[in-house]
Amino acid sequence: MKKHGLVKKCMTFALGAALIMGMAGCGPAGSDSGSGQDANETSGTEAAREGATAAQAAAGEETTLLIAAAASLEAVFEDQLIPMFEEANPGIQMEGTYASSGDLQQQIESGLEADLFMSAATSNMDTLVEEGLVDQASVVNLLKNDVVLIVPEGVESNVTGFEDLANADVVAIGDPESVPAGKYAQEILTGLGIYDQVAEKASFGNSVTEVLTWVAEGSADAGIVYSTDALTENSNGDDKKVTVLATADNSMMETPVIYPVGITTSTNKKEAAQTLEDFLQSEEAMNVFVEAGFTANK
């Protein structure tokens, strides 16, 4: 984010104050009682926010949007989508903060000033909508992903698929309490009747990215991640890091892997946030997602 000098800050303050004072002085005389006064106060608050944004624009300041996005989206956002969006939208900067969807949900509940949230599971988004922290009308179920079983590349393994995962000495999966990939893994292994066996030898990661790293560096014999994670890991550098042994099909999972995106109710940059959400649904952005291994949710 760019830093501004004292002069620019003073200009912004003066412009914002002038707009707010001007709005406060508008309206017919004698309309200062009852519900009308409450409505004027509410309208004044909203106008003040808009006035502040207008003042920033007049002072030449850039708008910065923060998107809280699932860890499995970090590479595609940082490497491609953020530069593309900023180039197409001069005056709007985009920043990302990445973690497990459960952790991001808790951060938003605790006051994280994110403008958009993009989750790797609909359950986290649904909770924030129910709590009034994400605008339900803005939510779009944008992408699909697959869950895959991986092992370190070039290492002999006793594992051939999900069914015999208990043969591994150390299994890496996301923590089912907060990591959607871990919840999907738990669902798959429970359906196969081997979750308890696997859990006894499991290392639980705080994000799917951590699980991927453990397998890629060989500290875990096998792991469960998204197909996009395996693709990204193998595209970094010349050497292939992981081998995909199996992909979970619909018969193994009741819950589809859906990535929803929505605008938070606390943002005072709704127009810019909508511009970003529209961009993420564009053909240009969707081509990037598909290239990274995601599927459009149609």
Side-chain angles (χ1 to χ4, degrees):
M1 185 183 299
K2 295 182 179 178
K3 296 183 179 179
H4 304 276
L6 178 60
V7 172
K8 188 169 285 186
K9 289 184 178 178
C10 291
M11 290 175 59
T12 301
F13 176 81
L15 285 166
L19 285 166
I20 295 170
M21 290 175 64
M23 291 172 181
C26 294
S31 60
D32 59 350
S33 62
S35 59
Q37 181 177 1
D38 294 337
N40 287 340
E41 290 176 351
T42 301
S43 177
T45 300
E46 295 175 352
R49 288 183 177 180
E50 295 175 0
T53 302
Q56 287 180 331
E61 293 186 17
E62 291 185 329
T63 297
T64 299
L65 294 173
L66 177 64
I67 183 167
S72 51
L73 293 164
E74 181 173 4
V76 71
F77 270 116
E78 293 296 322
D79 295 344
Q80 297 186 71
L81 292 177
I82 289 179
M84 286 172 56
F85 176 76
E86 291 181 342
E87 183 178 358
N89 295 276
I92 306 179
Q93 288 187 326
M94 178 182 171
E95 295 180 355
T97 183
Y98 311 98
S100 70
S101 300
D103 284 344
L104 292 174
Q105 174 193 323
Q106 292 178 1
Q107 290 180 42
I108 292 172
E109 290 168 337
S110 298
L112 176 67
E113 295 183 353
D115 301 292
L116 298 93
F117 175 48
M118 190 163 181
S119 172
T122 56
S123 57
N124 303 104
M125 184 69 75
D126 291 344
T127 298
L128 291 180
V129 167
E130 290 170 3
E131 294 172 346
L133 297 175
V134 170
D135 179 8
Q136 183 174 20
S138 74
V139 176
V140 176
N141 290 332
L142 190 62
L143 305 172
K144 289 182 180 180
N145 208 341
D146 291 319
V147 175
V148 298
L149 174 63
I150 60 173
V151 294
E153 172 69 13
V155 177
E156 291 188 11
S157 176
N158 295 324
V159 178
T160 60
F162 287 102
E163 295 81 0
D164 61 359
L165 186 54
N167 290 339
D169 292 326
V170 180
V171 179
I173 62 176
D175 184 351
E177 294 297 319
S178 61
V179 183
K183 293 180 181 179
Y184 297 131
Q186 184 181 41
E187 182 178 321
I188 292 167
L189 299 176
T190 299
L192 294 171
I194 60 172
Y195 178 73
D196 290 340
Q197 293 173 268
V198 174
E200 289 178 356
K201 53 182 68 179
S203 291
F204 293 99
N206 292 321
S207 70
V208 70
T209 304
E210 188 170 35
V211 171
L212 178 66
T213 299
W214 288 342
V215 177
E217 66 185 15
S219 58
D221 302 307
I224 297 177
V225 298
Y226 300 119
S227 63
T228 52
D229 298 310
L231 183 62
T232 298
E233 183 66 26
N234 285 335
S235 65
N236 291 332
D238 298 328
D239 297 330
K240 187 176 179 182
K241 305 292 182 58
V242 297
T243 297
V244 176
L245 291 184
T247 300
D249 58 33
N250 293 336
S251 66
M252 302 174 72
M253 297 178 60
E254 295 182 4
T255 308
V257 184
I258 302 294
Y259 285 62
V261 60
I263 299 172
T264 63
T265 55
S266 62
T267 182
N268 60 358
K269 309 165 190 174
K270 292 191 185 299
E271 183 175 348
Q274 187 62 61
T275 298
L276 174 53
E277 188 176 65
D278 291 344
F279 165 76
L280 294 177
Q281 298 175 69
S282 68
E283 182 178 358
E284 183 182 23
M286 195 58 64
N287 287 339
V288 173
F289 282 125
V290 170
E291 184 180 344
F294 294 95
T295 304
N297 181 45
K298 297 180 179 180

